[in-house]
Amino acid sequence: MAAICVFCASSRTLDDRWLRLAADTGAEIARRGHTVVSGGGCVGMMGALVDGARAAGGRTVGVIPQALVDLEVADLKSDELLITDSMASRKTLMIDKSDAFLTLPGGLGTLDELFEVWTTATLALHGKPMVLVDADGFYRPLLDWLATLTDQHFLKPAGLGLLTVVDSVPAALAALESHLS
């Protein structure tokens, strides 16, 4: 089965609905027999994601920079915990270790990871599927703005089309699995 990298928030102050979404995502990935690749943290949505995956019998791979290990936020229960020297090398390793990417709601770090993966796909550095879960319209303002990039010729429509946008985790996994088979 596939290694699915999930980008999501690590904030400790999130509403419970986002934590439930992350836990349900991890559990659904595990139920489908896939491995969860995460940013290697044990807090916020990232922690809920890996806890949900493990509760459903799934395998987890965490990729985390040493600086975050030093802050004691590493997912030490991870089946495989890979420690990098920087955030940049973390993203590179996450891309290398993953077959597909799923983005849940998050902040700057989540967006940074999404845009790194998306940018490298537009440059044909990988052909791995990418899905954005726009739960409750979380990403709608961003998606509307991104559409203006194509209107103004800053982004080719084909580049915009590399990212599949859905509104639920089951739809996200169905989209990823259709590209992986």
Side-chain angles (χ1 to χ4, degrees), residues 8-27:
C8 59
S10 61
S11 171
R12 298 175 196 247
T13 60
L14 297 173
D15 187 88
D16 283 344
R17 71 183 173 139
W18 301 121
L19 299 175
R20 284 191 304 274
L21 175 66
D24 291 347
T25 300

Side-chain angles (χ1 to χ4, degrees), residues 5-177:
C5 185
V6 180
F7 302 133
C8 59
S10 61
S11 171
R12 298 175 196 247
T13 60
L14 297 173
D15 187 88
D16 283 344
R17 71 183 173 139
W18 301 121
L19 299 175
R20 284 191 304 274
L21 175 66
D24 291 347
T25 300
E28 186 63 21
I29 290 170
R31 278 194 290 274
R32 292 174 181 236
H34 304 298
T35 295
V36 170
V37 177
S38 77
C42 64
V43 295
M45 290 176 72
M46 199 181 307
L49 170 79
V50 294
D51 287 346
R54 284 192 289 267
R59 182 171 189 278
T60 60
V61 175
V63 184
I64 189 166
Q66 183 64 52
L68 295 181
V69 173
D70 295 344
L71 291 175
E72 299 181 351
V73 296
D75 177 23
L76 300 178
K77 297 177 186 173
S78 186
D79 293 300
E80 184 178 358
L81 186 63
L82 305 169
I83 300 172
T84 65
D85 62 355
S86 68
M87 293 293 279
S89 57
R90 172 201 211 183
K91 289 184 289 185
T92 299
L93 191 54
M94 290 171 79
I95 292 169
D96 291 345
K97 286 282 188 184
S98 302
D99 300 308
F101 305 94
L102 189 157
T103 303
L104 295 174
L108 291 177
T110 302
L111 291 172
D112 178 50
E113 292 163 338
L114 167 65
F115 283 117
E116 176 88 13
V117 167
W118 196 359
T119 299
T120 53
T122 64
L123 297 171
L125 298 176
H126 73 82
K128 300 172 184 180
M130 304 167 296
V131 175
L132 177 77
V133 178
D134 186 28
D136 298 333
F138 182 87
Y139 284 112
R140 179 54 32 212
L142 175 64
L143 294 168
D144 290 343
W145 176 77
L146 288 168
T148 69
L149 293 179
T150 59
D151 296 342
Q152 297 179 49
H153 307 286
F154 286 105
L155 174 64
K156 294 177 183 173
L160 188 63
L162 290 173
L163 182 68
T164 301
V165 179
V166 298
D167 63 1
S168 71
V169 171
L173 291 171
L176 289 176
E177 289 171 337

